[in-house]
Amino acid sequence: MNKYTNPFHDRAHSWADSLILEHYSVSELNFETVNHYRERFARVKPDHPWNGLETKEFLYKIGAWGKLRDSSKEGLTLAGLLMFSEERIITEVLPQYFLEYREHAERAEAGWTKRFTSQDGTWSGNVYDFYFRVLAEAERHVWSEEGRMVLREALVNALVHADYGEEGGIIVEKDGASFRFANPGRFRIPIEAAMAGQMSNLRNPNIFKMFLLIDVCKRAGSGLKRMSDGCGRTLAAPVDISQQTAPDRTIVTLCLLPFPEETSATIETGIDEVVQQIEQEWMESGELARDENFVNNTPNSVTKPFNFVNNELNYVNSGPNFVSKAGNSVNSDTDSMNISPNSVTKPPNSVNSALDFVSNEIGIGGTNEEEEAVDERLWKMAELARRKKRLAPAVMEELIVRLCHERPLRLKELAALLERTPDGLRNNYLGKLLEEGKIRLQYPDQPNHPRQAYIGADKKQLGRHE
């Protein structure tokens, strides 16, 4: 019998996913997966010292590579194999290993409208890639950011708690408005304690650590509580958790609220018609439509039409002190903290809430008429996101892609145009769009380039990752 056949059971008194597989080297990994992880790690932690490490040392730091202290032997950990290898190699160690995603058709006899498994040979079949493939499919059916968060928590919960040595595999199903996450293995603490947010007894702490390092999840034990807290706002019913025996299995079911009527109409109308509508309103009224929730709708608003941002020659970056010479200037005197009533960056609701926004860090507007026209168009295109704080993910993604097609945009530029936090954009949208090939990095070989920007991919490139 292969000595690695069931390490989860053989090492009952140790952390199973830290098992060192002496005969499995770095060459057993899918390097496209490893590179994707490292790129995401660098985006989330751009100044982290691990970014400069060689591959094997980086893998050691995150728990994917192990060293036996009482000998000179070393090798992949079981966690490293599961996260970064390929299905054929993983099943040499764990014959029961299996991952599946499927969406049920509205009519039962029609079967599935979407399905992929770790065995189909069209992708690596590892845990890391499964996480992002499932999200790319499942999040199309979720309208709110909170709904996406609940979905991510349920998925990562199944992956870090699974007993990969048991039968049944991990199966994620969409059936109507419900999502079911089934994984082999049972909870190691009472369900009530897990729902209350008590520290979880993780079956796969190294896999959890790897996800934690790239901001996919938060601290151990908090996932189920955050899912439960979403009931009433995102979920139509409380989180349902059932456990089975022979074989041991846990099933978490989420019933999401349907799309609000207004959001559904926006998606059906399509982003093209939405943008055209905004432009038509602009032309008819001579100014951007305002409502009580619109940011900067005062007479001195940053977003006032045709004076919107930096369109005067002496407005931004025109002197050695960089930000505006006018009387309402940001930092118009040495001690200014932008607290005057007419300040462009008056906290907390300003488009330019970060002091470094209206500086050389960002280039909305300028003195060149052609560039100014492009930036004015960007500002108009992004108005929908500024007006609607709970914009449907599908619409936000399409809007980001279209903005990046206009010209390369840095993270802070996108954050200002869309009035979203840089971290929120990076974690919820940009990583996914990069993975799908809908946008690309301006400097793909230098993830930490000081002037890194996002560019809309050519149409012919969009099918690469689909």
Side-chain angles (χ1 to χ4, degrees):
M1 178 182 293
N2 188 325
K3 64 179 178 180
Y4 300 132
T5 296
N6 207 336
F8 285 89
H9 296 168
D10 294 343
R11 292 169 61 86
H13 302 292
S14 183
W15 295 122
D17 75 344
S18 66
L19 174 68
I20 298 173
L21 308 173
E22 300 174 35
H23 306 293
Y24 287 79
S25 68
V26 172
S27 64
E28 314 289 352
L29 302 181
N30 181 299
F31 281 95
E32 186 173 343
T33 304
V34 174
N35 290 338
H36 184 280
Y37 183 93
R38 295 203 67 168
E39 288 170 3
R40 184 178 176 92
F41 183 92
R43 290 198 301 271
V44 173
K45 305 178 186 300
D47 300 320
H48 202 288
W50 294 355
N51 286 318
L53 297 177
E54 295 292 334
T55 299
K56 185 181 290 187
E57 192 61 24
F58 178 83
L59 293 172
Y60 176 74
K61 294 291 188 182
I62 67 173
W65 185 263
K67 303 174 182 178
L68 295 172
R69 294 299 179 188
D70 57 351
S71 71
S72 59
K73 295 179 180 179
E74 54 186 62
L76 290 176
T77 64
L78 194 65
L81 188 81
L82 286 163
M83 284 286 278
F84 302 125
S85 191
E86 297 185 355
E87 187 269 347
R88 181 65 185 85
I89 299 171
I90 295 171
T91 54
E92 290 178 3
V93 178
L94 297 166
Q96 308 297 337
Y97 174 83
F98 180 72
L99 309 173
E100 180 179 8
Y101 174 79
R102 58 196 185 208
E103 296 179 8
H104 289 270
E106 291 185 8
R107 294 180 294 106
E109 62 271 18
W112 299 304
T113 57
K114 182 75 178 183
R115 181 176 184 258
F116 59 83
T117 77
S118 54
Q119 297 177 341
D120 62 33
T122 61
W123 58 292
S124 67
N126 61 46
V127 168
Y128 179 82
D129 288 343
F130 181 72
Y131 174 84
F132 286 100
R133 283 180 65 91
V134 170
L135 283 190
E137 296 297 334
E139 287 185 342
R140 295 186 295 107
H141 307 285
V142 182
W143 65 271
S144 70
E145 285 301 321
E146 191 169 30
R148 293 161 68 104
M149 180 275 292
V150 169
L151 201 67
R152 289 192 294 265
E153 291 289 353
L155 178 55
V156 78
N157 184 76
L159 297 174
V160 302
H161 287 288
D163 183 343
Y164 290 96
E166 278 282 6
E167 298 178 0
I170 297 174
I171 299 176
V172 180
E173 294 180 271
K174 180 190 179 297
D175 190 356
S178 296
F179 283 89
R180 285 188 292 274
F181 302 82
N183 64 268
R186 292 163 56 88
F187 274 79
R188 291 183 164 188
I189 62 174
I191 292 178
E192 296 76 14
M195 296 297 289
Q198 295 183 18
M199 184 63 70
S200 178
N201 187 347
L202 291 170
R203 184 172 276 109
N204 302 292
N206 283 292
I207 292 177
F208 175 79
K209 175 185 176 180
M210 292 178 208
F211 279 128
L212 183 69
L213 286 169
I214 55 173
D215 284 357
V216 162
C217 55
K218 305 299 180 184
R219 66 177 179 83
S222 63
L224 286 174
K225 186 177 188 303
R226 283 200 297 276
M227 280 189 273
S228 179
D229 290 344
C231 187
R233 298 188 303 272
T234 298
L235 302 179
V239 178
D240 179 72
I241 301 176
S242 63
Q243 299 195 88
Q244 303 173 354
T245 56
D248 288 349
R249 197 159 183 80
T250 299
I251 303 171
V252 175
T253 302
L254 307 177
C255 185
L256 298 178
L257 289 171
F259 281 74
E261 184 177 346
E262 179 183 2
T263 304
S264 298
T266 299
I267 293 175
E268 291 170 4
T269 300
I271 195 69
D272 281 331
E273 294 182 22
V274 172
V275 172
Q276 290 173 11
Q277 181 181 353
I278 293 171
E279 292 177 342
Q280 183 65 30
E281 289 176 358
W282 183 294
M283 296 299 294
E284 290 176 356
S285 66
E287 63 177 11
L288 287 174
R290 297 174 181 169
D291 63 31
E292 61 184 2
N293 296 319
F294 194 78
V295 178
N296 298 340
N297 61 1
T298 61
N300 294 318
S301 169
V302 176
T303 57
K304 189 175 181 181
F306 304 112
N307 295 317
F308 68 106
V309 179
N310 313 341
N311 65 349
E312 298 180 26
L313 294 178
N314 64 346
Y315 195 70
V316 176
N317 302 334
S318 60
N321 294 322
F322 79 79
V323 185
S324 184
K325 295 179 180 177
N328 294 328
S329 167
V330 179
N331 300 335
S332 59
D333 62 73
T334 54
D335 296 321
S336 171
M337 288 299 292
N338 308 331
I339 56 174
S340 62
N342 296 324
S343 170
V344 174
T345 58
K346 184 179 179 182
N349 295 322
S350 170
V351 173
N352 306 339
S353 59
L355 291 178
D356 60 352
F357 165 63
V358 197
S359 69
N360 287 326
E361 286 294 322
I362 210 159
I364 301 179
T367 61
N368 181 279
E369 291 182 4
E370 182 177 350
E371 179 182 344
E372 195 169 299
V374 171
D375 289 333
E376 184 173 318
R377 173 173 170 75
L378 293 178
W379 193 253
K380 287 194 295 182
M381 288 174 65
E383 186 202 0
L384 181 66
R386 296 194 300 276
R387 290 174 63 98
K388 292 182 177 292
K389 294 305 179 186
R390 289 187 177 273
L391 195 63
V395 176
M396 176 65 90
E397 289 171 7
E398 181 66 18
L399 187 50
I400 291 171
V401 171
R402 288 180 178 271
L403 289 169
C404 292
H405 267 293
E406 293 293 316
R407 69 173 174 85
L409 291 170
R410 300 171 68 188
L411 179 58
K412 289 185 179 180
E413 291 180 278
L414 282 168
L417 286 166
L418 300 166
E419 280 188 10
R420 298 297 193 272
T421 64
D423 284 345
L425 284 177
R426 181 171 51 214
N427 297 333
N428 298 327
Y429 299 104
L430 298 177
K432 178 174 180 284
L433 291 172
L434 284 167
E435 168 69 12
E436 294 174 352
K438 294 180 179 178
I439 60 174
R440 59 185 176 85
L441 295 176
Q442 186 171 18
Y443 305 99
D445 298 327
Q446 304 176 61
N448 298 323
H449 193 285
R451 298 197 63 81
Q452 187 62 271
Y454 299 91
I455 302 174
D458 296 336
K459 294 295 184 183
K460 62 183 179 181
Q461 294 179 313
L462 295 182
R464 289 184 307 164
H465 301 287
E466 296 176 352

